[in-house]
Amino acid sequence: MLKTFKIGGVHPPENKLSSGEKIQILPVPEQVIIPLGQHIGAPATPVVQKGDSVKAGQLIATATGFVSANIHSSVSGTVVAVDNVTDAAGLSKPAITIKVEGDEWEEGIDRSVKPDHNITLSREEIVKAISAAGIVGMGGATFPTQVKLSPPPGSKAEILIINGVECEPYLTADHRIMLEKAEEIIVGVQILMKAIDVKRAVIGIENNKRDAIEKLKNLTAKTLGVEVCPLKVRYPQGGEKQLIKATTGRSVPSGALPIAVGAVVQNAGTALAVYEAVMKHKPLIERVVTITGKSVKKPGNYLCRIGTPISKLIEAAGGLPGDTAKIIGGGPMMGRAMVNPDSPILKGTSGVLILNEKEGTRKPSRNCIRCSKCVSACPMGLEPYLLMTLAGHNMLEEMETEKIMDCIECGSCSFTCPANRPLLDYIRLGKARTGAMIRNRKK
């Protein structure tokens, strides 16, 4: 019997249109825009200025504080601006703009195809190499990886869990790298195991990716301490707490981190990036991104340089369809609408979804009918209908009491609501305001 988590969850249409499309290399653009805040935590501090020449893989901004990440140039060329740019949401954010000139890489970066299995670095050296390479969570959360690999005093990791679930509809980037970069991912898993000093790792993959399950099972059969755990298809199984429950049976307490139950969770894409950082000396300057949608001519998976305009990815997929209603950064459940398609691909950009008019038009919202479907669907055991009401009235203390900060923003409540209530929109707003109140209280 396939494993899964216990509370809530929904089954949206999978729409994995690009799952059979092999990874293609997106051509290097004429110019890249590399934001300084591509991660949770403090934005990086620039170490280059206008007029400087840079190479692909060169450090251009350093981490600011413990929870931050280095930023590297994804191309070779000349820095033409260190200034604010408009991001996908239409907000002004600091970034470094580079005009591309050739494709010269930093010395020491190994670009060979043959995987290297000889892990010689110590635990401390591995964490240092990951930090230097600017690795962050590739599943979308973008938490600096070196922080996850450094548990607080008194905490001890017991198991590494690799998230190969990719439960978000439409997205297939992780699926493809598990098929095409399986050997490298397994080495990355072993590196992460050494970094946190554990003897057991579990790779969780939903059962709709049977080819990836089979491939990784064949490889892990020869790898001590690493196993593949097929999972029942259920959204949002890719959430950390849901994946930990599904694979180990352990429940992370409210307000606690996975390390509280001895678990460290890393995305499959992160494991690949860790392999490249430690074994190839390659910083995080490119990633695989899914471009998809029912009206898209050529849905696919592309290896893209960080900072490439999303419009270039759309062009590669056949251009913007005539019936486009919305461009979503990410998937339909947790993704956000873009107002600027020329905004750049980031470290956390797993996919770009183009919704047609039928899918992208919201149905009219009606009054709550007290059916409690949102409560049944919530994987965190919350009451979304109540949280929406509290958020609408800006009742911060009450939202904190009702554990709004436990919300993982999966969108299951909005998906299941027969009255088409914008539950997630209100809860996101309320969560942001409540989080600000809690931070101010701590200050």
Side-chain angles (χ1 to χ4, degrees):
M1 183 173 169
L2 294 171
K3 295 182 177 180
T4 189
F5 59 99
K6 303 295 183 183
I7 300 174
V10 292
H11 295 86
E14 294 177 18
N15 291 321
K16 302 286 189 178
L17 310 177
S18 52
S19 61
E21 301 296 327
K22 291 185 177 180
I23 298 169
Q24 303 177 61
I25 298 175
L26 190 70
V28 179
E30 298 82 18
Q31 180 174 283
V32 296
I33 297 173
I34 304 179
L36 301 178
Q38 299 184 53
H39 48 264
I40 288 177
T45 302
V47 294
V48 294
Q49 56 188 356
K50 184 178 179 180
D52 286 354
S53 295
V54 296
K55 298 178 182 179
Q58 179 179 328
L59 182 70
I60 58 174
T62 57
T64 306
F66 180 59
V67 183
S68 188
N70 288 339
I71 304 286
H72 301 77
S73 176
S74 60
V75 296
S76 63
T78 301
V79 176
V80 296
V82 182
D83 202 355
N84 283 7
V85 299
T86 303
D87 70 3
L91 303 175
S92 183
K93 297 290 179 65
I96 297 171
T97 304
I98 303 170
K99 180 183 178 183
V100 177
E101 297 163 352
D103 194 20
E104 187 177 356
W105 287 56
E106 275 280 89
E107 294 181 8
I109 297 177
D110 182 0
R111 300 175 68 188
S112 64
V113 176
K114 185 178 179 181
D116 186 352
H117 296 78
N118 188 24
I119 307 169
T120 59
L121 298 185
S122 67
R123 177 182 175 185
E124 293 75 17
E125 289 172 330
I126 288 172
V127 175
K128 186 177 180 181
I130 290 170
S131 177
I135 309 298
V136 301
M138 304 280 281
T142 66
F143 196 81
T145 301
Q146 77 275 4
V147 179
K148 269 194 177 184
L149 301 180
S150 306
S155 300
K156 174 70 174 72
E158 299 172 6
I159 184 171
L160 171 69
I161 300 173
I162 299 299
N163 187 347
V165 173
E166 199 166 43
C167 59
E168 183 82 43
Y170 285 99
L171 303 187
T172 58
D174 286 350
H175 187 181
R176 291 313 310 180
I177 65 169
M178 287 190 290
L179 286 174
E180 299 180 41
K181 298 287 183 180
E183 203 170 340
E184 291 91 332
I185 288 173
I186 295 301
V187 179
V189 172
Q190 292 175 299
I191 292 169
L192 288 166
M193 290 173 68
K194 188 171 183 179
I196 57 175
D197 190 25
V198 297
K199 303 299 181 186
R200 184 183 175 216
V202 176
I203 305 173
I205 309 174
E206 285 194 329
N207 204 41
N208 57 358
K209 306 174 187 64
R210 295 183 184 180
D211 47 0
I213 290 172
E214 183 179 354
K215 181 144 194 173
L216 288 169
K217 271 190 172 182
N218 289 337
L219 289 173
T220 55
K222 310 169 189 175
T223 309
L224 186 64
V226 184
E227 62 186 90
V228 175
C229 180
L231 300 169
K232 183 179 179 180
V233 177
R234 189 177 185 186
Y235 180 87
Q237 198 146 231
E240 279 192 332
K241 293 183 178 181
Q242 287 68 39
L243 183 57
I244 291 169
K245 183 67 177 179
T247 54
T248 69
R250 302 178 187 182
S251 299
V252 180
S254 173
L257 296 172
I259 194 65
V261 294
V264 173
V265 182
Q266 298 286 356
N267 178 262
T270 308
L272 176 60
V274 164
Y275 161 79
E276 292 182 332
V278 174
M279 309 303 286
K280 302 288 187 180
H281 310 289
K282 178 186 171 185
L284 182 49
I285 59 173
E286 57 185 3
R287 65 157 298 146
V288 177
V289 181
T290 299
I291 172 75
T292 185
K294 290 181 179 177
S295 296
V296 173
K297 289 181 181 178
K298 297 183 291 183
N301 305 286
Y302 289 84
L303 181 64
C304 310
R305 301 287 179 99
I306 302 299
T308 299
I310 286 170
S311 56
K312 296 293 183 183
L313 185 62
I314 295 172
E315 285 176 18
L320 202 63
D323 62 350
T324 297
K326 289 180 183 176
I327 304 174
I328 306 292
M333 299 296 286
M334 296 186 72
R336 303 198 182 200
M338 296 182 182
V339 298
N340 177 22
D342 288 320
S343 60
I345 289 168
L346 310 177
K347 293 179 181 181
T349 305
S350 55
V352 175
L353 170 62
I354 300 175
L355 293 179
N356 58 33
E357 292 172 356
K358 183 179 179 181
E359 288 186 304
T361 303
R362 286 197 180 193
K363 296 177 182 177
S365 176
R366 302 189 299 274
N367 292 334
C368 176
I369 61 172
R370 300 294 189 267
C371 67
S372 78
K373 284 188 175 182
C374 63
V375 178
S376 299
C378 180
M380 297 304 297
L382 305 178
E383 297 179 279
Y385 75 92
L386 174 60
L387 294 176
M388 177 180 173
T389 301
L390 296 176
H393 290 86
N394 204 33
M395 300 172 72
L396 304 184
E397 290 82 4
E398 290 81 358
M399 284 189 283
E400 182 182 11
T401 300
E402 295 297 331
K403 295 183 168 43
I404 194 170
M405 300 308 294
D406 281 358
C407 173
I408 62 173
E409 303 180 26
C410 67
S412 295
C413 53
S414 294
F415 174 81
T416 197
C417 179
N420 306 312
R421 309 267 293 165
L423 293 156
L424 178 57
D425 298 320
Y426 275 86
I427 292 171
R428 273 178 172 161
L429 180 63
K431 185 179 173 184
R433 290 175 175 172
T434 304
M437 177 192 71
I438 294 171
R439 290 190 295 272
N440 288 333
R441 182 196 302 149
K442 289 180 179 178
K443 288 179 182 178

